[in-house]
Amino acid sequence: MKYISTRGGMAPATFSDILLAGLAPDGGLAMCESYPQLSRAELDAMRAMSYPELAFDLIRRFADDIPAADLKAIVDKTYTRATYGTDEITPLKRLEDGLYIQELSNGPTLAFKDMAMQLLGNLFEYTLAKQGETLNILGATSGDTGSAAEYAMRGKQGVRVFMLSPHEKMSPFQTAQMFSLQDPNIFNLAVRGVFDDCQDIVKAVSNDHAFKAKYKIGTVNSINWARVVAQVVYYFKGYFAATQSNDQQVSFSVPSGNFGNVCAGHIARMMGLPIRKLIVATNENDVLDEFFRTGRYKVRGSANTWQTSSPSMDISKASNFERFIFDLVGRDAEQVRALWQAVDSTGEFDLSASPLFAKISAEYGFASGKSTHADRLATIRHTFEQYGVIIDTHTADGLKVGLEQREAGVPLICLETALPAKFEATIREALDRDPPRPAGLENIEALPQRFEVMDADAEQIKGFIAAHV
Ligand SMILES: *Cc1c(COP(=O)(O)O)cnc(C)c1O
C-alpha cells in the first residue's frame, strides 16, 4: 500500500514513511492510493473475530510495510481488557430495539481519542526504535487530545511529550488527569493565556525549521493517518455487534468536529462495510452541518467559534474534511487544490450548483444535523429517564441528530465519544446529580501534580524544550 497527497505533490510513500509526518509536503493530507476491498468471504470471517484480531486484519492492509508478526504484537498489546475494561473493547449498549450506543470511551482518558492514540503510542515506539530515532511531541490542548496523547506516550522509549495548556482554564478533572502524570518523558506546560495562545506557540515553534529539525519536533494531531485507520476498526466491530448477517445495513451517528472519527466511517464504507448512512452531528459550531445540508463549506474565524458545553467539537475548520472531498471529486488533486485555494482566499467553497452535491448523500451516504446546549440538556434528560443511561454532552449531540435521521428497520449506532464524568457541570445542570466516576478516579484531583507555569512566549517554551531533551 502506497500513500499519496490529496493535493498531488508527494511521491508515493509507505505507511511507516507517513506515520511520523504531519501535513504532506504540498500542504495536503496523506491518503491510501486505493481502498482495500473486502470480499463477502472476508467480511463473513471477520464477524467472528475478537477486537484485536479484527484490528490486525484491517490495519495490516494499510500498514503492509510493517512485518505481520510485529504488527500483530503491537495490536495485541494495545487492545486489551487491562486498558479498555472489557474484552469487547467497544461494547454496544442497547437502548431499545434498533437503537444502540457504542462505547468508545473506556480507555484511560475516558474519551474515544484513546482508541487511536494508544495504538499510535505503540507504533511510534516501535518505529523510532527501528530507525534509531527519537521524537519530541509538541502539542496544544484544551482537554481531550492532550491527555489522550500523554497517556499513550507515557513511559515510551524514544518519545517525549511537551503539552501546552491554558493555565487554570481546564476543568479540575481534566487538569488532574494530565498533571498527575509523573512519568519523566511527559512535560505539562501551563501557559498564562488561552488555548489560541498555546496553539500559536506550537505554530511558531513548528515554523522555526532549524529548531524543529535540531530538536526532532513532531505532532500527533487529528490528521495523522494512523489515527484515522485505527478508528476504522470500531465501525466494523459495531456493525457486527448490531446485526446477525452481512446482508443487513446499519447507520452510524457521529459527534463531529475535525471530521476524523467520521472520516474513518467513510473509509469503512468504501472498503465494503454495509453502512447505510453516516450521520454527521455538530454542535452550535456547524460548519460541517452547513456543508452537508447546502454544499457550502464556509470556515469560521476564532471570533465566530462558540464555546459550548460539548467543547471538543468547538471547531471552525474541519482538518480531515479534505480527505472526503478528495474522494468526492474523483481523486482529482487539481480540483482539491483549487477548492482549498478558494478557502484560503475567500474562506469558503460552494458545491451547491455542482453535480457533486447530489452524490454526497446518494453515493456516499452522508447526512447531518446540529444540536444546541438546550438540545443536549433535553437529550441527556430524556436518555436518563427513558433508559436509565447517563450520556456525555458530545454523545448527546450525536444521539439527538441520529434520532432525527433514524429510519425504520435500519439499526442506528450512536458513537459515544466521552464519558459523562469528564463534563460534570453540564450533567449536573441537566440531571441535578453527578455522573458516576470510573473506579480509581474518585479522588484524582487530590493527587500530586507536576507542571510548569510559563508565559505565552515561544522563546521561553523553546528554551524549556532545549533544556529537557
Ligand atoms: C475529538 C472529539 C470529538 C470530535 O471528533 P473529530 O474526530 O474531531 O470529529 C467529539 N467528541 C469528543 C469527546 C472528542 O474528544
Side-chain angles (χ1 to χ4, degrees):
M1 176 67 77
K2 286 291 196 303
Y3 292 88
I4 53 176
S5 165
T6 50
R7 301 199 190 169
M10 179 172 85
T14 65
F15 181 86
S16 300
D17 289 335
I18 61 162
L19 176 65
L20 302 172
L23 286 176
D26 61 357
L29 305 184
M31 274 291 260
C32 46
E33 265 183 339
S34 64
Y35 294 112
Q37 295 299 306
L38 297 175
S39 68
R40 176 62 193 245
E42 284 174 311
L43 211 53
D44 287 347
M46 285 178 174
R47 181 167 278 279
M49 289 183 185
S50 69
Y51 197 99
E53 286 168 347
L54 186 58
F56 171 66
D57 199 8
L58 289 166
I59 297 168
R60 71 180 172 83
R61 299 163 199 263
F62 293 98
D64 58 359
D65 62 321
I66 298 179
D70 293 359
L71 183 64
K72 182 148 191 352
I74 291 167
V75 166
D76 284 346
K77 172 165 129 182
T78 302
Y79 297 108
T80 62
R81 170 187 272 272
T83 302
Y84 295 96
T86 66
D87 290 325
E88 291 163 281
I89 308 298
T90 60
L92 213 54
K93 195 184 297 179
R94 176 185 167 280
L95 295 184
E96 62 184 43
D97 280 348
L99 180 62
Y100 306 92
I101 287 182
Q102 189 176 359
E103 298 179 22
L104 304 182
S105 310
N106 297 328
T109 73
L110 317 187
F112 88 101
K113 293 197 169 64
D114 290 329
M115 292 305 306
M117 206 71 93
Q118 288 286 317
L119 180 74
L120 206 63
N122 289 326
L123 281 172
F124 274 23
E125 186 175 52
Y126 168 82
T127 305
L128 290 167
K130 227 175 169 178
Q131 298 172 348
E133 282 287 350
T134 59
L135 183 70
N136 295 304
I137 294 169
L138 175 64
T141 190
S142 54
D144 288 345
T145 308
S147 56
E150 292 188 354
Y151 280 76
M153 305 297 165
R154 61 188 294 200
K156 294 278 186 282
Q157 291 297 315
V159 190
R160 292 185 196 85
V161 178
F162 296 88
M163 191 56 66
L164 313 184
S165 59
H167 184 41
E168 295 180 336
K169 305 250 172 10
M170 295 190 295
S171 76
F173 182 85
Q174 285 177 316
T175 307
Q177 242 188 351
M178 289 177 56
F179 292 7
S180 64
L181 289 180
Q182 302 295 332
D183 306 74
N185 70 327
I186 303 293
F187 299 93
N188 282 302
L189 305 180
V191 173
R192 292 189 190 92
V194 294
F195 172 65
D196 279 337
D197 297 314
C198 299
Q199 212 160 25
D200 288 345
I201 293 171
V202 171
K203 276 187 205 146
V205 175
S206 299
N207 284 334
D208 180 344
H209 297 289
F211 184 89
K212 191 177 170 204
K214 178 164 181 201
Y215 292 102
K216 304 181 193 307
I217 304 291
T219 57
V220 287
N221 46 27
S222 83
I223 59 159
N224 182 285
W225 174 255
R227 282 181 63 180
V228 177
V229 166
Q231 293 169 175
V232 170
V233 180
Y234 54 70
Y235 284 87
F236 281 78
K237 196 70 191 158
Y239 169 80
F240 293 130
T243 55
Q244 280 80 47
S245 110
N246 295 332
D247 295 325
Q248 288 173 271
Q249 286 192 315
V250 304
S251 293
F252 284 92
S253 182
V254 190
S256 296
N258 265 321
F259 203 77
N261 193 348
V262 75
C263 184
H266 165 68
I267 293 168
R269 196 173 182 277
M270 297 297 280
M271 293 172 74
L273 189 68
I275 296 176
R276 182 165 164 81
K277 282 206 241 176
L278 286 167
I279 302 160
V280 176
T282 70
N283 64 19
E284 290 89 335
N285 297 293
D286 57 353
V287 184
L288 287 171
D289 177 43
E290 182 175 43
F291 171 76
F292 286 102
R293 270 187 305 104
T294 69
R296 183 176 185 211
Y297 180 64
K298 186 173 185 300
V299 303
R300 322 268 207 264
S302 40
N304 291 308
T305 305
W306 321 118
Q307 273 191 23
T308 74
S309 48
S310 44
S312 302
M313 290 153 50
D314 292 348
I315 279 162
S316 48
K317 260 184 220 170
S319 49
N320 275 290
F321 180 58
E322 186 171 332
R323 290 196 160 112
F324 167 63
I325 294 296
F326 183 58
D327 284 340
L328 181 67
V329 301
R331 302 200 142 208
D332 177 352
E334 201 169 321
Q335 273 198 66
V336 173
R337 273 204 308 276
L339 290 172
W340 260 267
Q341 224 151 46
V343 171
D344 287 342
S345 57
T346 68
E348 63 180 289
F349 63 71
D350 189 349
L351 301 180
S352 59
S354 155
L356 294 174
F357 182 55
K359 288 189 169 185
I360 295 170
S361 67
E363 252 178 57
Y364 293 97
F366 277 100
S368 77
K370 101 184 223 190
S371 164
T372 64
H373 181 68
D375 294 323
R376 281 189 277 290
L377 295 181
T379 306
I380 291 168
R381 273 186 209 121
H382 169 81
T383 307
F384 184 59
E385 284 160 12
Q386 185 95 4
Y387 309 111
V389 171
I390 303 182
I391 55 172
D392 104 288
T393 52
H394 307 77
T395 308
D397 289 331
L399 184 55
K400 185 259 179 187
V401 174
L403 288 173
E404 286 168 357
Q405 300 278 346
R406 189 180 181 188
E407 296 166 292
V410 183
L412 174 66
I413 301 175
C414 298
L415 297 185
E416 170 206 78
T417 56
L419 290 192
K422 283 197 110 162
F423 303 96
E424 283 172 346
T426 309
I427 302 301
R428 246 177 257 131
E429 189 181 344
L431 303 179
D432 209 19
R433 61 149 76 198
D434 281 335
R437 279 206 183 173
L441 298 178
E442 295 86 354
N443 295 310
I444 192 172
E445 289 95 334
L447 295 176
Q449 300 193 349
R450 181 170 162 269
F451 62 100
E452 302 274 338
V453 181
M454 320 261 305
D455 289 333
D457 172 5
E459 292 310 314
Q460 234 187 72
I461 305 290
K462 282 190 209 168
F464 184 92
I465 294 173
H468 290 88
V469 300

PDB file of all heavy atoms in Angstrom, residues 203-224:
ATOM      1  N   LYS A 203       2.566  26.626  16.540  1.00  0.00           N
ATOM      2  CA  LYS A 203       2.806  27.018  15.148  1.00  0.00           C
ATOM      3  C   LYS A 203       4.148  27.732  15.006  1.00  0.00           C
ATOM      4  O   LYS A 203       4.919  27.455  14.080  1.00  0.00           O
ATOM      5  CB  LYS A 203       1.685  27.948  14.661  1.00  0.00           C
ATOM      6  CG  LYS A 203       0.480  27.174  14.173  1.00  0.00           C
ATOM      7  CD  LYS A 203      -0.547  28.113  13.523  1.00  0.00           C
ATOM      8  CE  LYS A 203      -1.935  27.484  13.608  1.00  0.00           C
ATOM      9  NZ  LYS A 203      -3.001  28.478  13.775  1.00  0.00           N
ATOM     10  N   ALA A 204       4.415  28.646  15.925  1.00  0.00           N
ATOM     11  CA  ALA A 204       5.665  29.420  15.848  1.00  0.00           C
ATOM     12  C   ALA A 204       6.878  28.494  15.957  1.00  0.00           C
ATOM     13  O   ALA A 204       7.849  28.625  15.207  1.00  0.00           O
ATOM     14  CB  ALA A 204       5.703  30.484  16.953  1.00  0.00           C
ATOM     15  N   VAL A 205       6.820  27.540  16.879  1.00  0.00           N
ATOM     16  CA  VAL A 205       7.949  26.621  17.051  1.00  0.00           C
ATOM     17  C   VAL A 205       8.085  25.741  15.798  1.00  0.00           C
ATOM     18  O   VAL A 205       9.189  25.502  15.303  1.00  0.00           O
ATOM     19  CB  VAL A 205       7.782  25.766  18.327  1.00  0.00           C
ATOM     20  CG1 VAL A 205       8.895  24.729  18.432  1.00  0.00           C
ATOM     21  CG2 VAL A 205       7.760  26.656  19.568  1.00  0.00           C
ATOM     22  N   SER A 206       6.947  25.269  15.266  1.00  0.00           N
ATOM     23  CA  SER A 206       6.992  24.396  14.086  1.00  0.00           C
ATOM     24  C   SER A 206       7.495  25.150  12.855  1.00  0.00           C
ATOM     25  O   SER A 206       8.064  24.546  11.945  1.00  0.00           O
ATOM     26  CB  SER A 206       5.605  23.828  13.791  1.00  0.00           C
ATOM     27  OG  SER A 206       5.169  23.060  14.877  1.00  0.00           O
ATOM     28  N   ASN A 207       7.265  26.452  12.814  1.00  0.00           N
ATOM     29  CA  ASN A 207       7.724  27.247  11.672  1.00  0.00           C
ATOM     30  C   ASN A 207       9.201  27.617  11.771  1.00  0.00           C
ATOM     31  O   ASN A 207       9.784  28.125  10.817  1.00  0.00           O
ATOM     32  CB  ASN A 207       6.886  28.521  11.517  1.00  0.00           C
ATOM     33  CG  ASN A 207       5.522  28.197  10.917  1.00  0.00           C
ATOM     34  OD1 ASN A 207       5.379  27.201  10.208  1.00  0.00           O
ATOM     35  ND2 ASN A 207       4.530  29.019  11.227  1.00  0.00           N
ATOM     36  N   ASP A 208       9.802  27.380  12.934  1.00  0.00           N
ATOM     37  CA  ASP A 208      11.245  27.581  13.087  1.00  0.00           C
ATOM     38  C   ASP A 208      11.908  26.265  12.656  1.00  0.00           C
ATOM     39  O   ASP A 208      12.163  25.373  13.458  1.00  0.00           O
ATOM     40  CB  ASP A 208      11.567  27.923  14.548  1.00  0.00           C
ATOM     41  CG  ASP A 208      13.065  28.146  14.772  1.00  0.00           C
ATOM     42  OD1 ASP A 208      13.878  27.740  13.897  1.00  0.00           O
ATOM     43  OD2 ASP A 208      13.419  28.716  15.813  1.00  0.00           O
ATOM     44  N   HIS A 209      12.173  26.169  11.336  1.00  0.00           N
ATOM     45  CA  HIS A 209      12.569  24.873  10.777  1.00  0.00           C
ATOM     46  C   HIS A 209      13.882  24.359  11.351  1.00  0.00           C
ATOM     47  O   HIS A 209      14.048  23.154  11.525  1.00  0.00           O
ATOM     48  CB  HIS A 209      12.604  24.954   9.253  1.00  0.00           C
ATOM     49  CG  HIS A 209      11.236  25.259   8.680  1.00  0.00           C
ATOM     50  ND1 HIS A 209      10.224  24.333   8.699  1.00  0.00           N
ATOM     51  CD2 HIS A 209      10.711  26.387   8.139  1.00  0.00           C
ATOM     52  CE1 HIS A 209       9.131  24.872   8.170  1.00  0.00           C
ATOM     53  NE2 HIS A 209       9.397  26.123   7.823  1.00  0.00           N
ATOM     54  N   ALA A 210      14.796  25.275  11.658  1.00  0.00           N
ATOM     55  CA  ALA A 210      16.082  24.853  12.217  1.00  0.00           C
ATOM     56  C   ALA A 210      15.864  24.227  13.599  1.00  0.00           C
ATOM     57  O   ALA A 210      16.390  23.152  13.905  1.00  0.00           O
ATOM     58  CB  ALA A 210      17.034  26.038  12.313  1.00  0.00           C
ATOM     59  N   PHE A 211      15.058  24.903  14.425  1.00  0.00           N
ATOM     60  CA  PHE A 211      14.774  24.374  15.764  1.00  0.00           C
ATOM     61  C   PHE A 211      14.051  23.036  15.672  1.00  0.00           C
ATOM     62  O   PHE A 211      14.389  22.074  16.365  1.00  0.00           O
ATOM     63  CB  PHE A 211      13.923  25.386  16.555  1.00  0.00           C
ATOM     64  CG  PHE A 211      13.673  24.965  17.978  1.00  0.00           C
ATOM     65  CD1 PHE A 211      14.550  25.306  18.995  1.00  0.00           C
ATOM     66  CD2 PHE A 211      12.542  24.213  18.314  1.00  0.00           C
ATOM     67  CE1 PHE A 211      14.326  24.898  20.311  1.00  0.00           C
ATOM     68  CE2 PHE A 211      12.305  23.804  19.619  1.00  0.00           C
ATOM     69  CZ  PHE A 211      13.201  24.152  20.617  1.00  0.00           C
ATOM     70  N   LYS A 212      13.077  22.987  14.756  1.00  0.00           N
ATOM     71  CA  LYS A 212      12.253  21.790  14.601  1.00  0.00           C
ATOM     72  C   LYS A 212      13.128  20.583  14.234  1.00  0.00           C
ATOM     73  O   LYS A 212      12.957  19.483  14.783  1.00  0.00           O
ATOM     74  CB  LYS A 212      11.210  22.047  13.511  1.00  0.00           C
ATOM     75  CG  LYS A 212      10.152  21.003  13.449  1.00  0.00           C
ATOM     76  CD  LYS A 212       9.088  21.341  12.399  1.00  0.00           C
ATOM     77  CE  LYS A 212       8.186  20.130  12.208  1.00  0.00           C
ATOM     78  NZ  LYS A 212       7.528  20.092  10.920  1.00  0.00           N
ATOM     79  N   ALA A 213      14.072  20.817  13.311  1.00  0.00           N
ATOM     80  CA  ALA A 213      14.936  19.711  12.880  1.00  0.00           C
ATOM     81  C   ALA A 213      15.909  19.335  13.996  1.00  0.00           C
ATOM     82  O   ALA A 213      16.105  18.152  14.299  1.00  0.00           O
ATOM     83  CB  ALA A 213      15.685  20.110  11.616  1.00  0.00           C
ATOM     84  N   LYS A 214      16.525  20.336  14.619  1.00  0.00           N
ATOM     85  CA  LYS A 214      17.535  20.055  15.641  1.00  0.00           C
ATOM     86  C   LYS A 214      16.942  19.281  16.813  1.00  0.00           C
ATOM     87  O   LYS A 214      17.557  18.346  17.332  1.00  0.00           O
ATOM     88  CB  LYS A 214      18.141  21.382  16.146  1.00  0.00           C
ATOM     89  CG  LYS A 214      19.158  21.189  17.245  1.00  0.00           C
ATOM     90  CD  LYS A 214      20.015  22.419  17.476  1.00  0.00           C
ATOM     91  CE  LYS A 214      21.016  22.111  18.588  1.00  0.00           C
ATOM     92  NZ  LYS A 214      21.525  23.340  19.197  1.00  0.00           N
ATOM     93  N   TYR A 215      15.736  19.654  17.224  1.00  0.00           N
ATOM     94  CA  TYR A 215      15.135  19.013  18.398  1.00  0.00           C
ATOM     95  C   TYR A 215      14.092  17.970  18.038  1.00  0.00           C
ATOM     96  O   TYR A 215      13.344  17.518  18.891  1.00  0.00           O
ATOM     97  CB  TYR A 215      14.577  20.088  19.343  1.00  0.00           C
ATOM     98  CG  TYR A 215      15.693  20.901  19.962  1.00  0.00           C
ATOM     99  CD1 TYR A 215      16.005  22.179  19.503  1.00  0.00           C
ATOM    100  CD2 TYR A 215      16.479  20.349  20.969  1.00  0.00           C
ATOM    101  CE1 TYR A 215      17.056  22.899  20.031  1.00  0.00           C
ATOM    102  CE2 TYR A 215      17.535  21.063  21.518  1.00  0.00           C
ATOM    103  CZ  TYR A 215      17.830  22.338  21.046  1.00  0.00           C
ATOM    104  OH  TYR A 215      18.867  23.039  21.580  1.00  0.00           O
ATOM    105  N   LYS A 216      14.032  17.586  16.757  1.00  0.00           N
ATOM    106  CA  LYS A 216      13.140  16.495  16.312  1.00  0.00           C
ATOM    107  C   LYS A 216      11.710  16.674  16.824  1.00  0.00           C
ATOM    108  O   LYS A 216      11.131  15.803  17.492  1.00  0.00           O
ATOM    109  CB  LYS A 216      13.701  15.141  16.761  1.00  0.00           C
ATOM    110  CG  LYS A 216      15.133  14.909  16.276  1.00  0.00           C
ATOM    111  CD  LYS A 216      15.624  13.562  16.725  1.00  0.00           C
ATOM    112  CE  LYS A 216      17.128  13.372  16.556  1.00  0.00           C
ATOM    113  NZ  LYS A 216      17.640  13.639  15.216  1.00  0.00           N
ATOM    114  N   ILE A 217      11.140  17.838  16.512  1.00  0.00           N
ATOM    115  CA  ILE A 217       9.794  18.159  16.970  1.00  0.00           C
ATOM    116  C   ILE A 217       8.760  17.521  16.046  1.00  0.00           C
ATOM    117  O   ILE A 217       8.867  17.621  14.828  1.00  0.00           O
ATOM    118  CB  ILE A 217       9.579  19.699  16.983  1.00  0.00           C
ATOM    119  CG1 ILE A 217      10.641  20.401  17.844  1.00  0.00           C
ATOM    120  CG2 ILE A 217       8.167  20.057  17.433  1.00  0.00           C
ATOM    121  CD1 ILE A 217      10.534  20.150  19.313  1.00  0.00           C
ATOM    122  N   GLY A 218       7.781  16.875  16.622  1.00  0.00           N
ATOM    123  CA  GLY A 218       6.688  16.288  15.851  1.00  0.00           C
ATOM    124  C   GLY A 218       5.348  16.550  16.533  1.00  0.00           C
ATOM    125  O   GLY A 218       5.288  17.169  17.596  1.00  0.00           O
ATOM    126  N   THR A 219       4.270  16.101  15.892  1.00  0.00           N
ATOM    127  CA  THR A 219       2.932  16.317  16.449  1.00  0.00           C
ATOM    128  C   THR A 219       2.148  15.003  16.412  1.00  0.00           C
ATOM    129  O   THR A 219       2.568  14.027  15.811  1.00  0.00           O
ATOM    130  CB  THR A 219       2.144  17.361  15.629  1.00  0.00           C
ATOM    131  OG1 THR A 219       2.099  16.906  14.280  1.00  0.00           O
ATOM    132  CG2 THR A 219       2.786  18.713  15.688  1.00  0.00           C
ATOM    133  N   VAL A 220       0.986  15.013  17.040  1.00  0.00           N
ATOM    134  CA  VAL A 220       0.097  13.845  16.966  1.00  0.00           C
ATOM    135  C   VAL A 220      -1.326  14.315  16.681  1.00  0.00           C
ATOM    136  O   VAL A 220      -2.272  13.806  17.234  1.00  0.00           O
ATOM    137  CB  VAL A 220       0.088  13.021  18.275  1.00  0.00           C
ATOM    138  CG1 VAL A 220       1.361  12.243  18.433  1.00  0.00           C
ATOM    139  CG2 VAL A 220      -0.182  13.901  19.475  1.00  0.00           C
ATOM    140  N   ASN A 221      -1.465  15.319  15.816  1.00  0.00           N
ATOM    141  CA  ASN A 221      -2.807  15.884  15.657  1.00  0.00           C
ATOM    142  C   ASN A 221      -3.739  14.992  14.849  1.00  0.00           C
ATOM    143  O   ASN A 221      -3.363  13.921  14.383  1.00  0.00           O
ATOM    144  CB  ASN A 221      -2.744  17.303  15.086  1.00  0.00           C
ATOM    145  CG  ASN A 221      -1.797  17.384  13.933  1.00  0.00           C
ATOM    146  OD1 ASN A 221      -1.576  16.395  13.264  1.00  0.00           O
ATOM    147  ND2 ASN A 221      -1.226  18.543  13.710  1.00  0.00           N
ATOM    148  N   SER A 222      -4.971  15.449  14.690  1.00  0.00           N
ATOM    149  CA  SER A 222      -6.024  14.540  14.210  1.00  0.00           C
ATOM    150  C   SER A 222      -5.883  14.191  12.735  1.00  0.00           C
ATOM    151  O   SER A 222      -6.573  13.306  12.253  1.00  0.00           O
ATOM    152  CB  SER A 222      -7.400  15.130  14.495  1.00  0.00           C
ATOM    153  OG  SER A 222      -7.761  16.048  13.504  1.00  0.00           O
ATOM    154  N   ILE A 223      -4.975  14.859  11.997  1.00  0.00           N
ATOM    155  CA  ILE A 223      -4.788  14.477  10.594  1.00  0.00           C
ATOM    156  C   ILE A 223      -3.871  13.265  10.461  1.00  0.00           C
ATOM    157  O   ILE A 223      -3.713  12.745   9.360  1.00  0.00           O
ATOM    158  CB  ILE A 223      -4.201  15.631   9.751  1.00  0.00           C
ATOM    159  CG1 ILE A 223      -2.858  16.065  10.314  1.00  0.00           C
ATOM    160  CG2 ILE A 223      -5.203  16.775   9.655  1.00  0.00           C
ATOM    161  CD1 ILE A 223      -2.005  16.786   9.315  1.00  0.00           C
ATOM    162  N   ASN A 224      -3.301  12.815  11.570  1.00  0.00           N
ATOM    163  CA  ASN A 224      -2.394  11.660  11.491  1.00  0.00           C
ATOM    164  C   ASN A 224      -3.129  10.444  10.911  1.00  0.00           C
ATOM    165  O   ASN A 224      -4.164  10.013  11.432  1.00  0.00           O
ATOM    166  CB  ASN A 224      -1.856  11.344  12.894  1.00  0.00           C
ATOM    167  CG  ASN A 224      -0.878  10.205  12.881  1.00  0.00           C
ATOM    168  OD1 ASN A 224      -1.269   9.055  12.749  1.00  0.00           O
ATOM    169  ND2 ASN A 224       0.399  10.513  12.987  1.00  0.00           N
TER     170      ASN A 224
END
